[in-house]
Amino acid sequence: MPRAPERYGIVRFDGSIAQNAKIKLWSEVAPDRAFSLKVIKFDAPNKMVWRGGMPFGLFVGTRTFTISATPQGSVFAMREEFSGLFAGPITKSMPDLTPSFKKFAMTLKEEAEQDG
């Protein structure tokens, strides 16, 4: 992230984004909880995948970021998928992350247009 992470809905970020790197982030949605993640794919500038969860695959969260070129410009997509035995109960207890995702996407759009 080129600028202050809080603009993206992240209150703190530790680590460096690189293939197989371990990172931690604290989101505005749960500012007292660290999310320990691994960058499992980093193919800049096209695709990045972060994964985290519980031991033994009981709960796995995978967030995929992609940027695709089109004749009209670029398209950014972000997708989060949950799997594992505890995925159902855990996802039902999670807060709505839509506002956080929208903030992230809008900030990325603003910065891309500024750097344009």
Side-chain angles (χ1 to χ4, degrees):
M1 275 169 260
R3 294 182 179 76
E6 61 273 4
R7 289 197 60 217
Y8 289 91
I10 298 170
V11 295
R12 182 174 162 198
F13 185 92
D14 290 345
S16 146
I17 297 175
Q19 183 72 35
N20 297 316
K22 291 183 180 181
I23 58 176
K24 278 189 180 182
L25 69 82
W26 290 256
S27 170
E28 285 179 352
V29 174
D32 296 329
R33 180 174 179 235
F35 292 90
S36 296
L37 306 162
K38 183 173 182 179
V39 180
I40 63 167
K41 183 169 182 83
F42 186 62
D43 179 19
N46 303 310
K47 188 172 188 177
M48 177 173 61
V49 181
W50 298 353
R51 182 169 289 153
M54 297 174 71
F56 310 112
L58 294 172
F59 175 76
V60 178
T62 304
R63 185 177 293 182
T64 303
F65 307 83
T66 57
I67 297 176
S68 306
T70 70
Q72 295 79 27
S74 296
V75 174
F76 169 72
M78 181 172 42
R79 178 183 172 117
E80 191 150 58
E81 297 176 79
F82 303 107
S83 61
L85 184 63
F86 295 153
I90 289 174
T91 55
K92 287 178 186 170
S93 70
M94 291 172 56
D96 181 9
L97 299 174
T98 304
S100 178
F101 289 170
K102 285 183 177 180
K103 181 176 184 176
F104 185 97
M106 289 306 300
T107 301
L108 183 65
K109 179 182 185 296
E110 290 168 8
E111 292 198 11
E113 288 172 347
Q114 286 175 357
D115 294 342

